[in-house]
Amino acid sequence: LAGNDWKKQPTVVNVKDVEIGSKKVIVAAGPCAVENEEQVLTTAKAVKRAGASLLRGGAYKPRTSPYSFQGLGEEGVKILRRVGDEVGLPIVTEIMDTRDSNIFSQYVDMIQIGARNAQNFSLLKEVGKLGKPVLLKRGMGNTVEEWLQAAEYILLEGNGNTVLCERGIRTFEKSTRFTLDIGGMVAAKLMTHLPICADPSHPAGKRELVHSLALAAVAAGADMLLIEVHPHPEKALSDSEQQLTPESFEVLMNRIRTLARAL
Ligand code: PEP
Ligand code: MN
């Protein structure tokens, strides 16, 4: 169902009035984690002004260490919903557990499946059943084929509104946090009718690299970008090194528009 042989024309995924996979490069931006309402509101206003179309933010955080900030959970989702409504941006946030599906179907516009759950097949099936647009990250150890097979689980439940997100894979290279697989992203785009998103923030690991990776992804044909922005990145409770300031995000948005016009 995810393959080009099954459906010839590109799929456009609608998240409220935002069209992903149409002409324009859609940018989802916001903090790594929802920390409090003021932080999300400040960020949301800034990214909207700069031209973002969706507000991102993690409420249930898949942290490598159990001692790290785990996110605000349901309260975080409700903060995102309130801010999204106030500012006028649809929201995208990650689900980690099938037991939270009611919260997500009630409050969330686009449901993210994170890299660490990319092959959690019961979660993929559950999210497929919810019928909301899905942003499916590629597992950091998954081949492009495995990534498409993961999408297949969602599509098989009758939910074709799925966007694939390349977020970097594990390689031997240590100079970046993960290796953004631009080649794999382009290969995926040739194999599927689904829109492709790139997350330049997590593979970068440091904010100095985020602009270049974002622009590379746009040049390679990404339909969407997912970018972490925090009003005070140095104080962020997670992924402090890679989040952009609102000012830097605005500069990046201008660069993206200039590049997109040239393509
Ligand atoms: C995220 O986007 O918030 C996130 C946790 O990313 P990933 O699943 O790609 O690590
Ligand atoms: Mn993060």
Side-chain angles (χ1 to χ4, degrees):
L1 300 182
N4 265 338
D5 41 1
W6 186 78
K7 182 170 177 255
K8 301 290 181 200
Q9 71 274 47
T11 288
V12 175
V13 172
N14 288 289
V15 183
K16 290 199 165 159
D17 59 347
V18 179
E19 287 188 346
I20 305 163
S22 188
K23 285 261 135 44
K24 195 166 166 262
V25 179
I26 295 301
V27 178
C32 176
V34 172
E35 297 168 5
N36 57 66
E37 188 143 353
E38 205 225 298
Q39 167 236 16
V40 180
L41 184 60
T42 308
T43 315
K45 284 178 177 163
V47 300
K48 167 129 185 174
R49 197 177 331 113
S53 303
L54 293 158
L55 175 63
R56 68 142 287 148
Y60 297 89
K61 293 302 299 177
R63 303 308 300 283
T64 301
S65 164
Y67 303 110
S68 302
F69 174 59
Q70 300 289 307
L72 300 181
E74 182 171 351
E75 184 48 32
V77 175
K78 290 178 177 166
I79 289 174
L80 267 182
R81 176 76 277 152
R82 283 198 294 273
V83 171
D85 287 344
E86 180 171 342
V87 174
L89 288 173
I91 60 171
V92 51
T93 190
E94 177 173 350
I95 189 169
M96 288 190 11
D97 194 316
T98 55
R99 289 169 295 189
D100 299 322
S101 59
N102 281 340
I103 297 167
F104 282 74
S105 54
Q106 197 178 340
Y107 295 108
V108 176
D109 300 312
M110 183 179 215
I111 304 178
Q112 179 172 325
I113 295 186
R116 290 158 189 82
N117 273 312
Q119 288 186 307
N120 180 339
F121 301 117
S122 40
L123 185 64
L124 294 169
K125 284 189 271 189
E126 177 73 16
V127 166
K129 286 198 187 85
L130 295 180
K132 296 241 182 183
V134 179
L135 183 64
L136 173 64
K137 296 262 191 139
R138 176 183 180 182
M140 59 186 87
N142 287 164
T143 63
V144 169
E145 193 184 3
E146 287 163 342
W147 183 22
L148 294 178
Q149 284 172 329
E152 199 71 17
Y153 274 91
I154 301 168
L155 269 59
L156 261 178
E157 299 299 326
N159 185 352
N161 281 326
T162 299
V163 178
L164 300 170
C165 183
E166 163 63 32
R167 50 79 70 206
I169 54 176
R170 268 274 155 78
T171 68
F172 54 81
E173 183 52 60
K174 294 271 181 43
S175 57
T176 51
R177 187 175 176 195
F178 297 96
T179 300
L180 181 67
D181 185 10
I182 294 277
M185 194 193 91
V186 176
K189 216 172 147 56
L190 293 174
M191 290 159 76
T192 179
H193 52 86
L194 298 172
I196 309 274
C197 174
D199 168 353
S201 300
H202 290 90
K206 331 184 216 324
R207 74 189 119 261
E208 293 72 26
L209 294 172
V210 171
H211 281 217
S212 299
L213 295 186
L215 293 167
V218 171
D223 300 293
M224 174 179 172
L225 294 170
L226 183 71
I227 301 173
E228 289 188 341
V229 181
H230 191 288
H232 305 286
E234 71 290 350
K235 292 191 196 143
L237 298 181
S238 59
D239 288 350
S240 156
E241 305 282 305
Q242 74 198 26
Q243 301 200 60
L244 299 182
T245 61
E247 296 73 28
S248 170
F249 177 71
E250 196 183 337
V251 173
L252 175 56
M253 287 299 289
N254 288 328
R255 299 181 76 189
I256 290 168
R257 278 188 287 265
T258 305
L259 173 61
R261 270 198 301 275
L263 292 173

